[in-house]
Amino acid sequence: MNDKISVLDIDIDNYTAKEAMKETVSYMESDPVNVVELVTVDGLMQMDEVPELKDDIRKFDLVLAGDKTILEAAEITDRRTIQETEGHVFLKMFFRYIHKNHKRVYLLVESEDEGEHLYNYLEHSYSGSQIVGLAKVSALNRADDMLVNAINGGEVDCVISVLSSPLQEEFIAKNRGILNIRIWLGLGKGILPVGRTGFGQGRITQFLLKRIFKKEIEKRKRDMSGALVSAK
């Protein structure tokens, strides 16, 4: 199953967790950098404000929904797909894979607090994971060259990014051709179940974002229906 869905003009792969994991494992055996992105409601709304970035995202290898609200917006009702997305099944499978196969990982965060929580989460849930580096990335002072050199020097298999959109997407789109890694996994904010206040967004913020997102989706559907009626 891979009928693409489109939400706010972003194409999203409609894979099961097992299908997505099969694709990802094949990426580990290829030389070019393969980009896997789990999009969130907040990420889609931020990317919607940067239209030129959408062309870059269409070149990503695998784009998955990281929130069931996105599936609902695309009118996906398959119970299994919704449950797997809500339970982050693909992500858990991926973390088990890199742990079991001793893949070398580099983490990108935006604050020391996020870095500590992410590192502790992986150490607690997937003890023994080979985390070889962690860097804080700033939208105002990115220092891309230094960061790329650090990642390449660590002989890394995978970069896990929890940067905000569009910073996350802009960084990999610009540096994809010079990174010596197999997989870039973009998670954005709020996906990892670290269970700590201060990492990602709080429940109230998430609730409000989803309400705004749903209203935008409804508005676009009304506008489209109105345009179709006018065209008749």
Side-chain angles (χ1 to χ4, degrees):
M1 175 179 69
N2 185 27
D3 296 323
K4 296 235 184 207
I5 59 177
S6 180
V7 180
L8 297 185
D9 299 322
I10 298 293
D11 291 334
I12 300 170
D13 294 291
N14 190 20
Y15 277 123
T16 65
K18 186 175 180 180
E19 289 169 339
M21 193 63 218
K22 183 177 179 180
E23 286 291 312
T24 306
V25 170
S26 72
Y27 297 157
M28 278 293 185
E29 299 168 355
S30 62
D31 288 330
V33 178
N34 293 274
V35 180
V36 179
E37 173 113 355
L38 272 70
V39 292
T40 63
V41 166
D42 180 47
L44 284 177
M45 293 177 68
Q46 295 295 331
M47 287 184 275
D48 195 47
E49 298 178 3
V50 191
E52 60 272 19
L53 188 60
K54 294 180 181 181
D55 289 334
D56 291 319
I57 296 170
R58 291 187 184 98
K59 298 173 186 176
F60 289 179
D61 300 280
L62 189 60
V63 180
L64 303 171
D67 189 315
K68 72 172 185 177
T69 306
I70 295 171
L71 299 177
E72 292 168 353
E75 300 180 352
I76 299 296
T77 58
D78 180 70
R79 185 177 178 183
R80 177 184 177 184
T81 302
I82 292 173
Q83 287 179 336
E84 287 187 345
T85 300
E86 197 170 21
H88 306 297
V89 175
F90 163 75
L91 194 54
K92 292 172 182 177
M93 292 172 68
F94 179 80
F95 285 152
R96 285 197 295 267
Y97 170 81
I98 61 174
H99 171 254
K100 181 180 178 181
N101 292 277
H102 310 292
K103 299 300 182 182
R104 294 169 63 84
V105 178
Y106 202 101
L107 309 178
L108 298 185
V109 299
E110 286 185 71
S111 71
E112 292 182 9
D113 192 44
E114 287 181 353
E116 180 181 352
H117 292 164
L118 176 55
Y119 182 87
N120 289 341
Y121 167 73
L122 293 173
E123 280 292 298
H124 174 75
S125 302
Y126 305 91
S127 179
S129 297
Q130 293 195 39
I131 301 171
V132 299
L134 184 151
K136 185 171 67 172
V137 183
S138 168
L140 298 177
N141 184 22
R142 293 217 321 225
D144 287 16
D145 292 344
M146 292 178 61
L147 185 52
V148 168
N149 288 337
I151 293 171
N152 289 344
E155 298 182 353
V156 175
D157 296 298
C158 172
V159 169
I160 297 176
S161 166
V162 292
L163 305 178
S164 300
S165 296
L167 171 61
Q168 177 169 271
E169 293 76 22
E170 288 175 346
F171 183 91
I172 184 57
K174 177 183 176 183
N175 298 295
R176 183 175 185 173
I178 54 177
L179 279 169
N180 186 22
I181 61 175
R182 300 299 176 87
I183 291 178
W184 167 283
L185 178 63
L187 301 182
K189 302 290 187 182
I191 287 183
L192 285 179
V194 295
R196 289 288 302 273
T197 301
F199 183 84
Q201 292 150 331
R203 291 184 179 181
I204 294 176
T205 303
Q206 285 286 342
F207 174 75
L208 293 174
L209 279 172
K210 288 178 181 180
R211 286 193 64 179
I212 295 169
F213 175 76
K214 289 177 180 178
K215 287 183 178 180
E216 179 62 22
I217 293 295
E218 290 169 1
K219 177 181 178 297
R220 294 199 183 193
K221 287 181 179 179
R222 289 195 302 270
D223 291 346
M224 184 175 293
S225 296
L228 289 174
V229 171
S230 299
K232 290 183 179 180

